[in-house]
Amino acid sequence: MRVLHVVPSYLPAVRYGGPIYSVHRLCVALAHQGHHVDVVTTNVDGDGDSAVPLGARVNLDGVGVHYFPSRMLRRLYYAPLMRTWLRRHVATYDVVHLHSVFLWPTLAASRAATRNAVPYVLSPRGMLVNELVRARSRWLKTAWIELFERRTVACAAAIHLTSRIERLAFDDFEISTRAMLEVIPNGVDASEAVVDSSDVQPPYVLMLGRISWKKRIERAIDAIAAVPGIRLVIAGGDDENLLPSLQNRAQNLGVGDRVGFTGRVDGERKCSLIRGARALVMVSMTENYGNVVLEAMALGTPAIVVPQVGAAEAVRAADAGWVIEDSVAALQSQLQKLLMEPEVARESGRRGAQWVRSHASWPAIASRMAGLYQRIAQGRASR
């Protein structure tokens, strides 16, 4: 099949967190299975631009990536040359896969696909959640929904959701569609599924991913303050300028020496941090999946998550950690147990690594996604 993915930002703009990696891993796995996979994106990388060729097809791990400049309305990733390219080329693809909402590339690609009768899959990436819309830019997002997004959702052939939690949130969003709703989780590189049994002293728990208000890092700092003998390491970029307030919070609670901020990490340093952690912690307000949970499981590190994290389903299924009540007190209690029972954590980590190898490798996830593409492409052919 010929599949076109449309995403506002892409490698090497890794500052934007998990979706960048998960979309690329999906595309690479699809390409390895014999599909022709292209990506259309912008060169936006924060306030600057990625050093990539513009307009040409760049081969990245077997995936053809087309980068287009965004010189105005950059927060929306507005890229007029991308629209021109889509109008000329979208009809040559069997399926289009859109990986965002509330952003201009999704609008442009959905309209181009509809005009050319090419079915598209929409992945909201956890953003069609009432709480998130109300929490940030409520009126702008509400206006965007009424002007554009309702039509984008209504015309989709399929809505891709990564977890049961995201599916329930989408149902509550009250936006009508006749699209099939398909729950397919993110995957993880099975080659990373290596258990490490080292016991780092003093022990630490890890929060991994970009620093964001919805991650509620302050809750983890509050919990750490009540559990002497364990550290908190926070690894991620700070695009929202929250680092000073979080550092002040740690200092004011008297745990400045037990709360560390590493900045963004990649590659072996990232894997080393995960392997050395007693557990990964994710207490986000909402998380459509939380792929770092799978990454931790793959490396033999258990996870502590709250119920609204989509990957909580994997943690439960693998018995690879703890799904705790959504409160500081519950996190504090679990940290105390973690400190006292290191062997329990190691056993949970081993179970998680085994589960990832069996259920969450990218080839397996790509096969499920290809099946979805084939079903909607067949629907197009029948029409």
Side-chain angles (χ1 to χ4, degrees):
M1 297 185 68
R2 290 178 56 84
V3 184
L4 177 66
H5 292 257
V6 181
V7 59
S9 56
Y10 203 69
L11 297 176
V14 294
R15 71 175 65 237
Y16 299 110
I20 297 291
Y21 294 104
S22 62
V23 173
H24 183 61
R25 295 289 191 270
L26 172 62
C27 290
V28 170
L30 288 165
H32 286 173
Q33 293 177 1
H35 302 286
H36 178 98
V37 182
D38 283 338
V39 172
V40 167
T41 187
T42 71
N43 66 338
V44 173
D45 189 357
D47 294 333
D49 296 325
S50 297
V52 293
L54 298 179
R57 186 178 191 269
V58 179
N59 188 302
L60 191 59
D61 300 326
V63 176
V65 186
H66 303 258
Y67 296 94
F68 295 94
S70 177
R71 298 190 174 93
M72 58 184 294
L73 299 175
R74 285 170 61 91
R75 289 179 65 86
L76 295 175
Y77 298 86
Y78 177 66
L81 292 177
M82 178 192 294
R83 176 171 53 197
T84 301
W85 189 96
L86 287 166
R87 288 175 173 174
R88 290 176 178 171
H89 298 284
V90 74
T92 66
Y93 293 90
D94 300 304
V95 174
V96 177
H97 193 155
L98 313 178
H99 293 277
S100 68
V101 291
F102 302 127
L103 296 175
W104 183 86
T106 294
L107 170 63
S110 65
R111 300 304 185 260
T114 300
R115 280 193 295 270
N116 288 277
V118 178
Y120 63 85
V121 178
L122 175 65
S123 294
R125 296 288 166 184
M127 296 308 298
L128 292 182
V129 176
N130 285 320
E131 289 84 352
L132 290 183
V133 171
R134 287 193 292 263
R136 287 291 177 96
S137 305
R138 177 179 181 179
W139 302 115
L140 287 174
K141 287 180 179 177
T142 299
W144 187 277
I145 289 167
E146 296 305 320
L147 289 171
F148 308 119
E149 220 66 90
R150 285 193 183 277
R151 180 180 168 189
T152 301
V153 173
C155 293
I159 307 294
H160 163 232
L161 308 158
T162 55
S163 65
R164 182 183 61 85
I165 289 173
E166 190 183 7
R167 167 67 191 269
L168 293 174
F170 180 81
D171 289 341
D172 290 341
F173 204 78
E174 296 182 350
I175 188 166
S176 62
T177 183
R178 289 184 290 180
M180 66 174 75
L181 303 183
E182 190 82 3
V183 176
I184 301 176
N186 289 328
V188 70
D189 290 329
S191 60
E192 295 179 357
V194 178
V195 179
D196 186 272
S197 59
S198 63
D199 192 5
V200 176
Q201 294 296 335
Y204 67 89
V205 293
L206 176 66
M207 299 189 81
L208 180 62
R210 65 188 181 89
I211 295 174
S212 170
W213 63 276
K214 79 167 189 172
K215 304 290 185 179
R216 301 195 300 191
I217 296 170
E218 67 278 1
R219 288 196 170 197
I221 295 174
D222 293 349
I224 283 289
V227 186
I230 194 165
R231 296 179 294 135
L232 172 64
V233 175
I234 300 157
D238 180 30
D239 291 338
E240 299 177 22
N241 197 31
L242 299 176
L243 182 58
S245 64
L246 293 171
Q247 289 174 323
N248 287 338
R249 191 183 195 97
Q251 291 292 341
N252 292 338
L253 289 171
V255 291
D257 60 334
R258 291 198 289 122
V259 177
F261 298 85
T262 70
R264 184 172 59 83
V265 294
D266 292 304
E268 184 50 41
R269 187 181 178 207
K270 174 181 173 181
C271 292
S272 179
L273 271 177
I274 295 173
R275 290 191 189 100
R278 188 67 61 89
L280 179 92
V281 174
M282 182 171 281
V283 291
S284 305
M285 175 188 294
T286 181
E287 203 78 51
N288 67 305
Y289 198 76
N291 216 48
V292 295
V293 174
L294 273 189
E295 292 178 27
M297 289 167 58
L299 291 167
T301 298
I304 302 172
V305 300
V306 290
Q308 60 267 31
V309 171
E313 299 168 19
V315 174
R316 288 194 188 99
D319 192 13
W322 305 270
V323 181
I324 63 171
E325 177 188 323
D326 185 18
S327 69
V328 173
L331 179 56
Q332 175 186 329
S333 175
Q334 187 56 57
L335 291 175
Q336 289 170 334
K337 293 177 183 176
L338 197 68
L339 192 61
M340 296 171 61
E341 302 172 344
E343 187 54 40
V344 172
R346 281 192 284 267
E347 286 299 322
S348 295
R350 293 185 188 108
R351 289 192 294 268
Q354 292 169 357
W355 187 90
V356 164
R357 284 193 290 268
S358 301
H359 297 87
S361 68
W362 272 119
I365 298 303
S367 293
R368 292 180 60 182
M369 193 66 75
L372 173 62
Y373 297 158
Q374 288 165 356
R375 291 199 300 277
I376 65 174
Q378 287 167 358
R380 174 197 188 191
S382 66
R383 288 194 299 273

